[in-house]
Amino acid sequence: MAKALLALLAVYAAKNLRRADAPPTQPAGPAGGNVSAGLPGGQGGGGLGDLLRGTLGGVLGGAAAGTVLNGGLDNLLKQLQQGGQGDVARSWVGTGVNKAISQRDLANALGTDTLDQLSEQTGMDRGDLLSGLSQHLPRFVDQLTPDGRLPTEEEAARMV
């Protein structure tokens, strides 16, 4: 499941990298700490940074971890908002209780192309993928946004 969560960020980070000429979306703020992201599946050891560099290094094409986290997370949240799940996604970023998302709502928000790409990258069938993402994505996003907002690229780079 950790690979699926990171692949999801990578898919949306790739969209961000294609728009590299766009101005930054986040102002500088306080520095973040080291985030292990509480990834499921017994992924111990090096944490999120090792997973980003190791598991998805080829997919990311050498992109900086801060760009992947910041851009991927930003684009993912925008996609969820466009898919009618903005209130749910905002609860994951905010400091309050994380709202649940159903597999159906998540599938509708992400779209068939994204789910097909994730299934191919992870080797998971769509049902298992949606089950795991709907269960773990709220906490994953919450832990990547410890200050109740998206991290800047610099803050995200320090997290890994």
Side-chain angles (χ1 to χ4, degrees):
M1 193 71 254
K3 185 175 180 180
L5 290 165
L6 294 173
L8 183 61
L9 282 184
V11 165
Y12 287 99
K15 293 178 184 183
N16 186 59
L17 292 174
R18 280 184 238 136
R19 298 179 315 155
D21 57 325
T25 58
Q26 296 291 323
N34 184 5
V35 175
S36 66
L39 294 172
Q43 298 284 345
L48 185 59
D50 287 347
L51 287 169
L52 277 172
R53 287 184 294 275
T55 306
L56 297 173
V59 174
L60 301 176
T67 300
V68 171
L69 288 178
N70 178 273
L73 189 55
D74 184 42
N75 284 333
L76 170 61
L77 294 172
K78 286 177 184 174
Q79 180 66 38
L80 290 167
Q81 183 175 2
Q82 292 170 358
Q85 299 303 312
D87 186 48
V88 172
R90 279 188 298 277
S91 78
W92 305 344
V93 174
T95 56
V97 175
N98 292 333
K99 293 183 180 181
I101 188 166
S102 72
Q103 292 179 38
R104 181 177 181 199
D105 287 343
L106 185 58
N108 289 336
L110 295 179
T112 302
D113 290 345
T114 298
L115 292 172
D116 288 346
Q117 190 174 2
L118 290 174
S119 289
E120 184 177 317
Q121 289 177 359
T122 63
M124 297 175 73
D125 70 51
R126 186 176 296 219
D128 290 342
L129 183 64
L130 284 169
S131 174
L133 288 176
S134 66
Q135 181 180 359
H136 296 290
L137 189 58
R139 183 167 182 224
F140 184 65
V141 172
D142 186 53
Q143 290 184 339
L144 290 174
T145 57
D147 296 322
R149 62 172 175 79
L150 287 174
T152 65
E153 286 186 28
E154 294 80 18
E155 290 168 336
R158 287 191 294 263
M159 290 180 180
V160 294

